[in-house]
Amino acid sequence: MNIPFNKPHLTDKEMGYISNAHALGRLSGDGFYTKKCHSWLEKRMKTKKALLTHSCTGALEMMAILANVKKGDEVIMPSFTFVSTANAFVLRGAIPVFVDIRPDTLNLDEKLIEGAITRKTKAIVPVHYAGVACEMDTIKKIARRHNLLVLEDAAQGVFSKYKGKNLGTIGEMGAYSFHETKNVISGEGGAILVNDPKFVERAEIIREKGTNRSKFFRGQVDKYTWVDIGSSYLPGEVIGAFLMAQLEKAAEITKKRIRIWRKYHKAFAELEERGFLRRPIIPETCEHNAHMYYILVKNLKVRTELLEFLQKKNILSVFHYIPLHSSPAGKKYGRKHGSMKVTNDISDRLTRLPLFYDLTTQEIDHVIKSIHTFFEKKQK
Ligand SMILES: *Cc1c(COP(=O)(O)O)cnc(C)c1O
């Protein structure tokens, strides 16, 4: 048995849709399947406008342009996140201001946000870690009070909810990822959700190289031209076709992942009671998508031992995030506000376990048993 950390799942529809996209005679962006994905996402997520992008990174870059952040502006975000959250804004000359996370959800600590706001602050970027929602009502209230945008990095939060609302649809804009390590995939891929209608028209322009080509295709202008800054953020039809197959199976994929997540969760309850580890905490306001199962062990030493032990058992378990505030580029382009105590601590202790659609019962049992064996041995 050799258990990888992730294995991309294939439904039985991707190849047929791709071949059909070719037969339809158009492989560039915004063809039949891409449009189908757009309306599927708009209907399912209840948002004004969903547009596929080549990655969540691309969607975040679009949000930074749409938010009009300029050189020297500040954007509040966690340090415990993927590089793209920060990079998207740094590319516009803005400064990521890192704020510590909550010890329970590992999300941006909403109580620390207001202290980090200055005259230069333009936006708050909540990242829904492991598909578990940030405290969005509080974050939105703070944003309203200070006239800031809320831009959600919902890369891991596709099909998760906060108080019944889909993640990515709560702020002015949201970014999704369909990278192969996420729940629903297209290899590389993402989407921007434009929830505030005032950004829709410019979003289409920025995504199409700064041209009004989308309007042209709808017959609203008789020729298209360069009207704004922009880039090529749209994926080709092969990606749209692949993604459509996955979206159609999304409910089943989520259900299966939740089953695996719960199995892990139940199996580790006793180890948590005995003080060996801490399991994820899901607030009542949140319905999560089982994007990730992690455990928090005592310290870096135990984690290093555990990862090595699991590797010997042919299980690939991995840690997550060197905090951005301590990375070379983070130090150069960002600044931290206040202590990063929780971020530093969690980053040393977090261990992610294999969780993917095709994980078998025997494989799950092997992971669970191995972790139990590790801690039993430690106790002796
Ligand atoms: C995966 C991820 C991204 C980047 O997604 P891509 O689609 O690979 O660009 C950004 N932010 C977070 C929090 C992620 O987990």
Side-chain angles (χ1 to χ4, degrees):
M1 203 181 295
N2 206 338
I3 310 177
F5 174 66
N6 180 54
K7 200 192 279 177
H9 172 64
L10 267 191
T11 77
D12 51 10
K13 297 263 175 65
E14 287 87 352
M15 299 313 157
Y17 286 179
I18 288 170
S19 133
N20 194 37
H22 175 257
L24 287 169
R26 171 169 179 171
L27 290 177
S28 62
D30 285 344
F32 175 76
Y33 284 104
T34 306
K35 282 187 184 147
K36 231 172 124 115
C37 290
H38 291 168
S39 45
W40 194 96
L41 284 169
E42 282 159 11
K43 204 164 144 223
R44 168 66 177 74
M45 299 303 174
K46 301 191 185 71
T47 176
K48 182 79 193 154
K49 193 88 192 165
L51 295 166
L52 295 194
T53 53
H54 54 64
S55 61
C56 179
T57 302
L60 289 161
E61 288 178 22
M62 283 184 65
M63 294 201 303
I65 298 173
L66 287 161
N68 240 337
V69 296
K70 300 259 161 50
K71 195 168 160 45
D73 285 346
E74 295 178 353
V75 180
I76 294 171
M77 64 180 68
S79 167
F80 192 68
T81 182
F82 187 62
V83 293
S84 296
T85 320
N87 236 336
F89 295 93
V90 170
L91 282 167
R92 314 307 316 153
I95 301 160
V97 176
F98 303 121
V99 167
D100 211 0
I101 51 172
R102 287 167 47 151
D104 57 351
T105 57
L106 320 188
N107 282 330
L108 194 58
D109 189 338
E110 66 279 0
K111 290 188 295 302
L112 303 174
I113 294 174
E114 219 148 20
I117 295 173
T118 70
R119 274 184 308 115
K120 302 250 176 176
T121 310
K122 287 285 144 61
I124 305 170
V125 185
V127 178
H128 306 292
Y129 187 71
V132 176
C134 296
E135 188 14 57
M136 292 307 286
D137 277 353
T138 310
I139 292 173
K140 282 193 73 165
K141 248 181 239 153
I142 295 168
R144 228 173 288 137
R145 199 147 56 221
H146 298 271
N147 198 22
L148 307 174
L149 295 172
V150 176
L151 308 172
E152 297 176 73
D153 181 339
Q156 302 176 16
V158 189
F159 302 110
S160 290
K161 286 178 176 172
Y162 169 82
K163 296 188 181 172
K165 285 194 194 118
N166 295 299
L167 300 190
T169 68
I170 302 166
E172 274 78 13
M173 293 176 252
Y176 281 172
S177 176
F178 302 116
H179 184 264
E180 76 166 4
T181 51
K182 304 300 201 285
N183 291 20
V184 166
I185 61 171
S186 59
E188 302 281 350
I192 181 171
L193 305 193
V194 188
N195 309 312
D196 183 337
K198 78 165 178 267
F199 295 107
V200 168
E201 188 175 340
R202 194 165 180 231
E204 289 184 331
I205 290 168
I206 286 163
R207 180 168 164 273
E208 271 281 20
K209 301 97 181 161
T211 71
N212 55 358
R213 188 168 169 165
S214 302
K215 263 189 161 168
F216 171 73
F217 279 129
R218 284 196 298 262
Q220 293 165 336
V221 288
D222 55 13
K223 51 180 179 289
Y224 79 88
T225 182
W226 186 22
V227 293
D228 199 343
I229 61 165
S231 187
S232 189
Y233 288 114
L234 68 172
E237 265 292 277
V238 170
I239 293 289
F242 195 105
L243 184 63
M244 195 59 237
Q246 294 262 326
L247 291 176
E248 283 170 358
K249 203 183 168 180
E252 193 188 323
I253 291 172
T254 309
K255 221 158 116 191
K256 175 98 182 270
R257 292 184 75 107
I258 287 175
R259 267 213 305 278
I260 300 169
W261 194 99
R262 288 197 178 136
K263 193 157 183 193
Y264 278 144
H265 205 59
K266 196 162 161 230
F268 300 134
E270 186 227 331
L271 288 174
E272 185 177 65
E273 255 164 52
R274 290 163 65 197
F276 287 117
L277 54 83
R278 205 209 83 189
R279 299 177 301 158
I281 295 169
I282 314 291
E284 267 178 34
T285 48
C286 174
E287 210 177 291
H288 74 102
N289 61 357
H291 172 60
M292 185 195 300
Y293 198 88
Y294 65 78
I295 54 175
L296 293 167
V297 299
K298 205 163 152 200
N299 53 39
L300 182 58
K301 185 170 166 284
V302 174
R303 186 183 64 190
T304 310
E305 288 167 7
L306 174 62
L307 295 186
E308 273 170 22
F309 180 84
L310 292 176
Q311 203 145 32
K312 281 200 203 105
K313 299 274 181 191
N314 294 316
I315 300 165
L316 188 59
S317 174
V318 291
F319 61 86
H320 217 186
Y321 299 147
I322 310 281
L324 297 186
H325 74 271
S326 50
S327 67
K331 282 182 192 156
K332 187 169 171 189
Y333 297 111
R335 81 174 160 78
K336 59 181 164 117
H337 174 83
S339 143
M340 291 289 132
K341 214 172 110 229
V342 183
T343 301
N344 290 331
D345 177 53
I346 294 294
S347 164
D348 281 349
R349 294 165 51 210
L350 187 132
T351 309
R352 293 183 288 159
L353 304 182
L355 200 178
F356 49 87
Y357 186 88
D358 296 300
L359 197 63
T360 66
T361 307
Q362 290 100 302
E363 287 172 329
I364 301 166
D365 290 342
H366 179 60
V367 175
I368 291 171
K369 190 157 163 270
S370 301
I371 288 176
H372 275 271
T373 310
F374 174 80
F375 286 110
E376 296 303 336
K377 275 202 349 214
K378 271 214 89 60
Q379 200 176 31
K380 278 179 202 146

